[in-house]
């Protein structure tokens, strides 16, 4: 696969939400971006709070901006809060360095896009994204060890 197609992005979004329901997580919002940071799909479950689309977008955009997953971003943010506060301000809030932001790669390691999920605790958000990315036959990069 060379690009994040609408079909693949839709599958990832749907599988993310399905996994959340299966696990009985809080209502989720998911955004799928292509490698250029353009939104392909945004889905917000009934019952999600007001800012969930912006949080999901910020998680996905932050991973693309640095090229690695939300777990690594969170570690770096803890060590360099001034830098990450500046990045958040520079991006007009579109930079959320937390788990739940996951890079999507093909089997050869090329970045195809990113997924941002929010609604439950960040680790559960991430679990749903990883499940969906793998279900689509792609590789999830969480920034984990």
């Amino acid at each position: 696969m060379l690009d994040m197609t609408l079909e693949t992005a839709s599958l990832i979004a749907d599988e993310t939400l399905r996994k959340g329901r299966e696990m009985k997580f809080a209502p989720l919002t998911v955004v799928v971006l292509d490698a250029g940071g353009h939104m392909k799909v945004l889905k917000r479950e009934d019952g999600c709070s007001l800012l969930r689309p912006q949080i999901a977008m910020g998680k996905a955009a932050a991973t693309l901006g640095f090229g690695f997953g939300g777990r690594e971003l969170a570690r770096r943010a803890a060590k360099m809060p001034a830098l990450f506060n500046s990045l958040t301000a520079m991006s007009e809030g579109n930079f959320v360095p937390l788990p739940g932001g996951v890079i999507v790669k093909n089997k050869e390691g090329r970045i195809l896009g990113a997924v941002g999920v929010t609604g439950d605790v960040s680790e559960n958000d991430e679990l749903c994204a990883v499940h969906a990315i793998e279900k689509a036959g792609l590789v999830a990069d969480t920034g984990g060890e």
Side-chain angles (χ1 to χ4, degrees), residues 38-125:
H38 301 284
M39 186 185 311
K40 296 295 280 192
V41 175
L42 168 68
K43 288 197 172 190
R44 180 180 167 269
E45 287 188 306
D46 297 340
C48 286
S49 59
L50 182 64
L51 295 176
R52 293 301 174 181
Q54 293 90 331
I55 295 167
M57 182 66 171
K59 285 183 175 186
T63 64
L64 281 178
F66 269 73
F68 43 75
R71 285 188 175 272
E72 179 62 21
L73 287 173
R75 281 192 290 276
R76 291 181 186 209
K79 293 177 185 176
M80 300 176 280
L83 170 63
F84 280 77
N85 288 339
S86 296
L87 291 169
T88 300
M90 288 175 6
S91 67
E92 298 177 352
N94 201 20
F95 191 88
V96 180
L98 292 171
V102 182
I103 294 282
V104 180
K105 296 180 178 180
N106 65 14
K107 301 276 188 207
E108 292 76 38
R110 181 172 172 265
I111 293 176
L112 302 178
V115 177
V117 182
T118 185
D120 206 281
V121 298
S122 291
E123 291 74 15
N124 291 346
D125 297 341

Side-chain angles (χ1 to χ4, degrees), residues 7-21 30 32 41 43 45 131-132:
E7 180 181 1
T8 299
S10 296
L11 173 65
I12 290 170
D14 290 342
E15 282 297 321
T16 297
L17 299 179
R18 190 192 65 69
K19 186 66 171 177
R21 295 293 51 79
V30 57
V32 182
V41 175
K43 288 197 172 190
E45 287 188 306
H131 164 80

